[in-house]
mmCIF file of all heavy atoms in Angstrom:
data_model
loop_
_atom_site.group_PDB
_atom_site.id
_atom_site.type_symbol
_atom_site.label_atom_id
_atom_site.label_comp_id
_atom_site.label_asym_id
_atom_site.label_seq_id
_atom_site.Cartn_x
_atom_site.Cartn_y
_atom_site.Cartn_z
ATOM 1 N N SER Y 1213 47.560 136.477 90.892
ATOM 2 C CA SER Y 1213 48.836 137.048 91.342
ATOM 3 C C SER Y 1213 49.964 136.086 90.989
ATOM 4 O O SER Y 1213 49.755 134.865 90.919
ATOM 5 C CB SER Y 1213 48.810 137.326 92.846
ATOM 6 O OG SER Y 1213 48.575 136.134 93.570
ATOM 7 N N GLN Y 1214 51.127 136.644 90.767
ATOM 8 C CA GLN Y 1214 52.305 135.855 90.470
ATOM 9 C C GLN Y 1214 53.463 136.298 91.354
ATOM 10 O O GLN Y 1214 53.628 137.488 91.636
ATOM 11 C CB GLN Y 1214 52.734 136.016 89.008
ATOM 12 C CG GLN Y 1214 51.907 135.234 88.012
ATOM 13 C CD GLN Y 1214 52.440 135.325 86.593
ATOM 14 O OE1 GLN Y 1214 51.736 135.732 85.681
ATOM 15 N NE2 GLN Y 1214 53.697 134.947 86.396
ATOM 16 N N LYS Y 1215 54.261 135.310 91.746
ATOM 17 C CA LYS Y 1215 55.477 135.595 92.495
ATOM 18 C C LYS Y 1215 56.636 134.827 91.905
ATOM 19 O O LYS Y 1215 56.459 133.653 91.542
ATOM 20 C CB LYS Y 1215 55.318 135.142 93.957
ATOM 21 C CG LYS Y 1215 54.383 135.937 94.801
ATOM 22 C CD LYS Y 1215 54.400 135.367 96.210
ATOM 23 C CE LYS Y 1215 53.420 136.072 97.124
ATOM 24 N NZ LYS Y 1215 53.434 135.488 98.487
ATOM 25 N N PRO Y 1216 57.817 135.373 91.803
ATOM 26 C CA PRO Y 1216 58.107 136.785 92.022
ATOM 27 C C PRO Y 1216 57.651 137.621 90.828
ATOM 28 O O PRO Y 1216 57.325 137.081 89.785
ATOM 29 C CB PRO Y 1216 59.631 136.796 92.148
ATOM 30 C CG PRO Y 1216 60.066 135.673 91.243
ATOM 31 C CD PRO Y 1216 59.005 134.613 91.383
ATOM 32 N N SER Y 1217 57.624 138.916 90.991
ATOM 33 C CA SER Y 1217 57.257 139.779 89.869
ATOM 34 C C SER Y 1217 58.421 139.920 88.894
ATOM 35 O O SER Y 1217 58.226 140.120 87.688
ATOM 36 C CB SER Y 1217 56.822 141.152 90.370
ATOM 37 O OG SER Y 1217 57.877 141.757 91.101
ATOM 38 N N ARG Y 1218 59.628 139.826 89.432
ATOM 39 C CA ARG Y 1218 60.816 139.844 88.590
ATOM 40 C C ARG Y 1218 61.970 139.210 89.337
ATOM 41 O O ARG Y 1218 61.951 139.127 90.575
ATOM 42 C CB ARG Y 1218 61.170 141.264 88.160
ATOM 43 C CG ARG Y 1218 61.435 142.225 89.299
ATOM 44 C CD ARG Y 1218 61.818 143.593 88.771
ATOM 45 N NE ARG Y 1218 60.733 144.201 88.000
ATOM 46 C CZ ARG Y 1218 60.904 144.747 86.816
ATOM 47 N NH1 ARG Y 1218 62.085 144.754 86.237
ATOM 48 N NH2 ARG Y 1218 59.890 145.288 86.183
ATOM 49 N N ASP Y 1219 62.953 138.737 88.594
ATOM 50 C CA ASP Y 1219 64.135 138.164 89.215
ATOM 51 C C ASP Y 1219 65.288 138.191 88.227
ATOM 52 O O ASP Y 1219 65.071 138.159 86.998
ATOM 53 C CB ASP Y 1219 63.878 136.725 89.677
ATOM 54 C CG ASP Y 1219 64.747 136.324 90.847
ATOM 55 O OD1 ASP Y 1219 65.766 137.010 91.091
ATOM 56 O OD2 ASP Y 1219 64.427 135.320 91.521
ATOM 57 N N ILE Y 1220 66.481 138.283 88.790
ATOM 58 C CA ILE Y 1220 67.711 138.186 88.001
ATOM 59 C C ILE Y 1220 68.443 136.968 88.508
ATOM 60 O O ILE Y 1220 68.721 136.862 89.709
ATOM 61 C CB ILE Y 1220 68.575 139.445 88.142
ATOM 62 C CG1 ILE Y 1220 67.798 140.668 87.664
ATOM 63 C CG2 ILE Y 1220 69.871 139.286 87.369
ATOM 64 C CD1 ILE Y 1220 68.518 141.984 87.919
ATOM 65 N N CYS Y 1221 68.729 136.030 87.623
ATOM 66 C CA CYS Y 1221 69.287 134.743 88.036
ATOM 67 C C CYS Y 1221 70.571 134.448 87.286
ATOM 68 O O CYS Y 1221 70.822 134.973 86.203
ATOM 69 C CB CYS Y 1221 68.278 133.626 87.775
ATOM 70 S SG CYS Y 1221 66.696 133.836 88.628
ATOM 71 N N GLN Y 1222 71.355 133.568 87.888
ATOM 72 C CA GLN Y 1222 72.595 133.148 87.269
ATOM 73 C C GLN Y 1222 72.360 131.947 86.363
ATOM 74 O O GLN Y 1222 71.495 131.105 86.628
ATOM 75 C CB GLN Y 1222 73.625 132.801 88.344
ATOM 76 C CG GLN Y 1222 74.066 133.984 89.193
ATOM 77 C CD GLN Y 1222 74.788 135.044 88.391
ATOM 78 O OE1 GLN Y 1222 75.588 134.739 87.494
ATOM 79 N NE2 GLN Y 1222 74.497 136.296 88.690
ATOM 80 N N ARG Y 1223 73.146 131.874 85.351
ATOM 81 C CA ARG Y 1223 73.105 130.721 84.436
ATOM 82 C C ARG Y 1223 73.252 129.425 85.211
ATOM 83 O O ARG Y 1223 74.053 129.342 86.152
ATOM 84 C CB ARG Y 1223 74.236 130.871 83.425
ATOM 85 C CG ARG Y 1223 74.364 129.771 82.397
ATOM 86 C CD ARG Y 1223 75.733 129.844 81.729
ATOM 87 N NE ARG Y 1223 75.903 131.102 81.022
ATOM 88 C CZ ARG Y 1223 75.734 131.246 79.718
ATOM 89 N NH1 ARG Y 1223 75.342 130.213 78.986
ATOM 90 N NH2 ARG Y 1223 75.942 132.414 79.135
ATOM 91 N N GLY Y 1224 72.479 128.414 84.850
ATOM 92 C CA GLY Y 1224 72.597 127.103 85.483
ATOM 93 C C GLY Y 1224 71.700 126.894 86.698
ATOM 94 O O GLY Y 1224 71.528 125.759 87.147
ATOM 95 N N THR Y 1225 71.119 127.965 87.201
ATOM 96 C CA THR Y 1225 70.223 127.834 88.357
ATOM 97 C C THR Y 1225 68.786 127.633 87.888
ATOM 98 O O THR Y 1225 68.497 127.638 86.691
ATOM 99 C CB THR Y 1225 70.308 129.077 89.256
ATOM 100 O OG1 THR Y 1225 69.854 130.228 88.524
ATOM 101 C CG2 THR Y 1225 71.731 129.307 89.718
ATOM 102 N N SER Y 1226 67.891 127.426 88.847
ATOM 103 C CA SER Y 1226 66.469 127.223 88.543
ATOM 104 C C SER Y 1226 65.629 128.223 89.314
ATOM 105 O O SER Y 1226 66.016 128.655 90.409
ATOM 106 C CB SER Y 1226 66.040 125.794 88.903
ATOM 107 O OG SER Y 1226 66.744 124.842 88.131
ATOM 108 N N LEU Y 1227 64.503 128.569 88.761
ATOM 109 C CA LEU Y 1227 63.581 129.504 89.406
ATOM 110 C C LEU Y 1227 62.175 128.939 89.328
ATOM 111 O O LEU Y 1227 61.732 128.485 88.269
ATOM 112 C CB LEU Y 1227 63.605 130.865 88.708
ATOM 113 C CG LEU Y 1227 62.597 131.886 89.237
ATOM 114 C CD1 LEU Y 1227 63.023 132.370 90.625
ATOM 115 C CD2 LEU Y 1227 62.439 133.061 88.284
ATOM 116 N N THR Y 1228 61.484 128.977 90.457
ATOM 117 C CA THR Y 1228 60.088 128.541 90.485
ATOM 118 C C THR Y 1228 59.173 129.749 90.593
ATOM 119 O O THR Y 1228 59.345 130.583 91.490
ATOM 120 C CB THR Y 1228 59.830 127.574 91.642
ATOM 121 O OG1 THR Y 1228 60.586 126.376 91.429
ATOM 122 C CG2 THR Y 1228 58.360 127.202 91.727
ATOM 123 N N ILE Y 1229 58.221 129.834 89.689
ATOM 124 C CA ILE Y 1229 57.265 130.927 89.633
ATOM 125 C C ILE Y 1229 55.922 130.410 90.131
ATOM 126 O O ILE Y 1229 55.478 129.329 89.728
ATOM 127 C CB ILE Y 1229 57.123 131.457 88.196
ATOM 128 C CG1 ILE Y 1229 58.479 131.916 87.666
ATOM 129 C CG2 ILE Y 1229 56.108 132.597 88.140
ATOM 130 C CD1 ILE Y 1229 58.498 132.170 86.176
ATOM 131 N N GLN Y 1230 55.292 131.192 90.996
ATOM 132 C CA GLN Y 1230 54.004 130.787 91.552
ATOM 133 C C GLN Y 1230 52.875 131.604 90.945
ATOM 134 O O GLN Y 1230 53.028 132.793 90.681
ATOM 135 C CB GLN Y 1230 54.002 130.989 93.070
ATOM 136 C CG GLN Y 1230 55.041 130.182 93.807
ATOM 137 C CD GLN Y 1230 54.998 130.440 95.306
ATOM 138 O OE1 GLN Y 1230 54.142 131.170 95.811
ATOM 139 N NE2 GLN Y 1230 55.914 129.825 96.019
ATOM 140 N N CYS Y 1231 51.752 130.952 90.760
ATOM 141 C CA CYS Y 1231 50.549 131.611 90.253
ATOM 142 C C CYS Y 1231 49.386 131.260 91.172
ATOM 143 O O CYS Y 1231 49.087 130.079 91.371
ATOM 144 C CB CYS Y 1231 50.256 131.159 88.827
ATOM 145 S SG CYS Y 1231 48.776 131.888 88.103
ATOM 146 N N GLN Y 1232 48.767 132.282 91.743
ATOM 147 C CA GLN Y 1232 47.672 132.093 92.688
ATOM 148 C C GLN Y 1232 46.420 132.794 92.167
ATOM 149 O O GLN Y 1232 46.499 133.952 91.742
ATOM 150 C CB GLN Y 1232 48.048 132.668 94.054
ATOM 151 C CG GLN Y 1232 46.970 132.521 95.118
ATOM 152 C CD GLN Y 1232 46.841 131.108 95.630
ATOM 153 O OE1 GLN Y 1232 47.818 130.505 96.079
ATOM 154 N NE2 GLN Y 1232 45.639 130.549 95.571
ATOM 155 N N VAL Y 1233 45.307 132.083 92.204
ATOM 156 C CA VAL Y 1233 44.043 132.641 91.738
ATOM 157 C C VAL Y 1233 43.093 132.742 92.917
ATOM 158 O O VAL Y 1233 43.115 131.881 93.806
ATOM 159 C CB VAL Y 1233 43.412 131.750 90.637
ATOM 160 C CG1 VAL Y 1233 42.242 132.451 89.974
ATOM 161 C CG2 VAL Y 1233 44.447 131.351 89.607
ATOM 162 N N ASP Y 1234 42.244 133.754 92.904
ATOM 163 C CA ASP Y 1234 41.377 133.974 94.060
ATOM 164 C C ASP Y 1234 40.097 133.146 93.997
ATOM 165 O O ASP Y 1234 39.238 133.266 94.879
ATOM 166 C CB ASP Y 1234 41.013 135.460 94.181
ATOM 167 C CG ASP Y 1234 40.110 135.944 93.052
ATOM 168 O OD1 ASP Y 1234 40.033 135.269 92.011
ATOM 169 O OD2 ASP Y 1234 39.494 137.003 93.216
ATOM 170 N N SER Y 1235 39.948 132.298 92.990
ATOM 171 C CA SER Y 1235 38.790 131.427 92.893
ATOM 172 C C SER Y 1235 39.198 130.157 92.152
ATOM 173 O O SER Y 1235 40.230 130.130 91.479
ATOM 174 C CB SER Y 1235 37.639 132.123 92.174
ATOM 175 O OG SER Y 1235 38.048 132.522 90.872
ATOM 176 N N GLN Y 1236 38.383 129.128 92.284
ATOM 177 C CA GLN Y 1236 38.712 127.873 91.612
ATOM 178 C C GLN Y 1236 38.489 128.011 90.105
ATOM 179 O O GLN Y 1236 37.443 128.505 89.674
ATOM 180 C CB GLN Y 1236 37.850 126.743 92.171
ATOM 181 C CG GLN Y 1236 38.191 126.410 93.621
ATOM 182 C CD GLN Y 1236 37.434 125.189 94.118
ATOM 183 O OE1 GLN Y 1236 36.436 124.784 93.536
ATOM 184 N NE2 GLN Y 1236 37.920 124.594 95.192
ATOM 185 N N VAL Y 1237 39.450 127.574 89.345
ATOM 186 C CA VAL Y 1237 39.351 127.636 87.881
ATOM 187 C C VAL Y 1237 39.715 126.290 87.300
ATOM 188 O O VAL Y 1237 40.575 125.585 87.825
ATOM 189 C CB VAL Y 1237 40.276 128.735 87.299
ATOM 190 C CG1 VAL Y 1237 39.786 130.119 87.685
ATOM 191 C CG2 VAL Y 1237 41.712 128.540 87.734
ATOM 192 N N THR Y 1238 39.083 125.970 86.219
ATOM 193 C CA THR Y 1238 39.349 124.673 85.596
ATOM 194 C C THR Y 1238 40.685 124.670 84.871
ATOM 195 O O THR Y 1238 41.491 123.773 85.020
ATOM 196 C CB THR Y 1238 38.226 124.340 84.599
ATOM 197 O OG1 THR Y 1238 36.970 124.391 85.272
ATOM 198 C CG2 THR Y 1238 38.429 122.958 84.000
ATOM 199 N N MET Y 1239 40.891 125.694 84.058
ATOM 200 C CA MET Y 1239 42.049 125.700 83.168
ATOM 201 C C MET Y 1239 43.071 126.732 83.631
ATOM 202 O O MET Y 1239 42.738 127.881 83.907
ATOM 203 C CB MET Y 1239 41.622 126.024 81.732
ATOM 204 C CG MET Y 1239 40.545 125.129 81.173
ATOM 205 S SD MET Y 1239 41.098 123.431 80.967
ATOM 206 C CE MET Y 1239 42.125 123.595 79.516
ATOM 207 N N MET Y 1240 44.320 126.324 83.678
ATOM 208 C CA MET Y 1240 45.422 127.249 83.910
ATOM 209 C C MET Y 1240 46.494 126.985 82.862
ATOM 210 O O MET Y 1240 46.757 125.828 82.509
ATOM 211 C CB MET Y 1240 46.017 127.076 85.312
ATOM 212 C CG MET Y 1240 45.072 127.508 86.425
ATOM 213 S SD MET Y 1240 45.794 127.338 88.074
ATOM 214 C CE MET Y 1240 46.864 128.763 88.124
ATOM 215 N N PHE Y 1241 47.070 128.059 82.376
ATOM 216 C CA PHE Y 1241 48.064 127.950 81.317
ATOM 217 C C PHE Y 1241 49.308 128.751 81.688
ATOM 218 O O PHE Y 1241 49.236 129.726 82.423
ATOM 219 C CB PHE Y 1241 47.509 128.512 80.000
ATOM 220 C CG PHE Y 1241 46.212 127.901 79.550
ATOM 221 C CD1 PHE Y 1241 45.007 128.486 79.901
ATOM 222 C CD2 PHE Y 1241 46.198 126.757 78.790
ATOM 223 C CE1 PHE Y 1241 43.800 127.931 79.491
ATOM 224 C CE2 PHE Y 1241 44.996 126.194 78.374
ATOM 225 C CZ PHE Y 1241 43.800 126.789 78.727
ATOM 226 N N TRP Y 1242 50.424 128.339 81.132
ATOM 227 C CA TRP Y 1242 51.667 129.092 81.271
ATOM 228 C C TRP Y 1242 52.162 129.517 79.897
ATOM 229 O O TRP Y 1242 52.245 128.691 78.978
ATOM 230 C CB TRP Y 1242 52.736 128.256 81.974
ATOM 231 C CG TRP Y 1242 52.487 128.093 83.435
ATOM 232 C CD1 TRP Y 1242 51.907 127.039 84.073
ATOM 233 C CD2 TRP Y 1242 52.823 129.037 84.461
ATOM 234 N NE1 TRP Y 1242 51.853 127.268 85.430
ATOM 235 C CE2 TRP Y 1242 52.404 128.491 85.686
ATOM 236 C CE3 TRP Y 1242 53.434 130.292 84.456
ATOM 237 C CZ2 TRP Y 1242 52.590 129.145 86.914
ATOM 238 C CZ3 TRP Y 1242 53.613 130.945 85.662
ATOM 239 C CH2 TRP Y 1242 53.186 130.373 86.875
#
Side-chain angles (χ1 to χ4, degrees):
Chain Y
S1213 60
Q1214 282 185 237
K1215 290 182 183 179
S1217 59
R1218 59 178 63 228
D1219 207 342
I1220 300 173
C1221 301
Q1222 295 296 321
R1223 180 196 298 261
T1225 63
S1226 297
L1227 176 71
T1228 295
I1229 302 168
Q1230 299 179 4
C1231 179
Q1232 180 74 54
V1233 190
D1234 68 342
S1235 58
Q1236 292 186 342
V1237 292
T1238 304
M1239 305 294 285
M1240 292 181 77
F1241 305 93
W1242 287 98

